[in-house]
Amino acid sequence: MPYCIIPDDHTITAFARRIAAEQIDGALRGLSRGDRDLAPRIHEARKAVKKLRGLIRLLRPSFAAYRMENDALRAAGHAIATLRDAQVMLITYDAMARVAGVADPVLRQSLAARITRAETPEILAAAVQDFSARMAAIRDRSQQWKVKGAGFDALEGGLERTFAAARIAQRAAARAPDDPEAVHTWRKRVKDHWYQVRLLCPIWPDMMQPIVTAADTLGEVLGDHNDLSTLIAALPPGPNTAAIVQAAQARQTALRATAHPLSRRLFAGPPDATLARWHIWWDVWQDG
């Protein structure tokens, strides 16, 4: 089933339990397959974790188990993060090396070695086992989750919190453009919003889908910015490092120039105005 609310979700509790079961079951099935190409399945498993964290942030004010489950999902995601992070860093390095006109096999090999260290069979097996055990435990608990309230009222607090946090994070990043952590925080709040509007897209797809698309685009732009920050921090000293850093920083400047106006449009106005419209759309969808 899709990652969104459906008419068969007769309560918000049923909605939460269904999404949790589907995401965890899919992630565990993927990781249990016996083929050798594990990296794409690890990527899909991490996406499942992020989707679930987006879900419970939507429920947060109405979900007493939020903090415990958020911590559990964070720990599960960290268990399989190393391989993907190392691969993304190498891809980002290659792109910036091309822009800078740098060919430095020694520097590249120092970054590629991170992948070699991260993907030994023993490390991968242990990481997948750890992740699977953590997610299976969350799966068991999820079928006992309880969400207070009914309908849109149970979701409105989480939506408002995320919307307001994204606006605040964008302004903080505008004041500190050279602070990678400020941009990273901004990206996380945008991603939260993206997951939440995906979950609510059926209430009026013609209106919600453009919001989903804009939030996805903004999240990707800020994700590229974060990848560049990670690369800059990881580069060892060397004769070509400065040229790559300069190329990366120039690219970050261009990304911020795209991200700020998009974010201001996406999160324009106070959240209560947006949520009032969405509440009406929800009611019409329920009546339909």
Side-chain angles (χ1 to χ4, degrees), residues 102-242:
V102 167
D104 190 331
V106 174
L107 180 56
R108 189 183 190 281
Q109 182 55 39
S110 71
L111 298 175
R114 294 170 181 249
I115 298 176
T116 303
R117 291 193 297 269
E119 64 179 357
T120 65
E122 297 78 13
I123 289 175
L124 287 177
V128 168
Q129 183 177 17
D130 184 15
F131 173 84
S132 298
R134 292 177 185 275
M135 293 299 281
I138 296 169
R139 170 66 162 85
D140 289 343
R141 292 195 303 272
S142 73
Q143 299 313 291
Q144 304 302 318
W145 286 356
K146 290 182 172 61
V147 182
K148 294 180 181 178
F152 195 82
D153 290 340
L155 308 177
E156 194 162 7
L159 289 166
E160 182 175 12
R161 184 186 186 112
T162 295
F163 194 101
R167 295 182 76 203
I168 292 168
Q170 182 268 324
R171 292 169 181 169
R175 291 192 299 269
D178 297 324
D179 180 1
E181 191 57 37
V183 178
H184 182 51
T185 298
W186 178 20
R187 174 179 179 259
K188 289 191 291 185
R189 301 294 77 82
V190 168
K191 285 288 191 179
D192 290 344
H193 183 70
W194 177 56
Y195 288 121
Q196 291 176 3
V197 291
R198 288 175 65 187
L199 288 164
L200 292 182
C201 195
I203 67 174
W204 193 1
D206 289 348
M207 295 297 288
M208 294 297 284
Q209 187 56 53
I211 302 172
V212 172
T213 300
D216 186 21
T217 298
L218 179 56
E220 290 301 308
V221 169
L222 295 175
D224 290 347
H225 191 286
N226 185 64
D227 293 340
L228 291 164
S229 294
T230 302
L231 173 66
I232 290 169
L235 285 172
N240 294 308
T241 296

Side-chain angles (χ1 to χ4, degrees), residues 3-25:
Y3 178 72
C4 62
I5 195 156
I6 59 176
D8 288 346
D9 294 325
H10 298 298
T11 66
I12 300 301
T13 291
F15 159 61
R17 292 178 179 180
R18 175 182 62 81
I19 293 290
E22 290 171 0
Q23 292 299 316
I24 295 172
D25 290 349

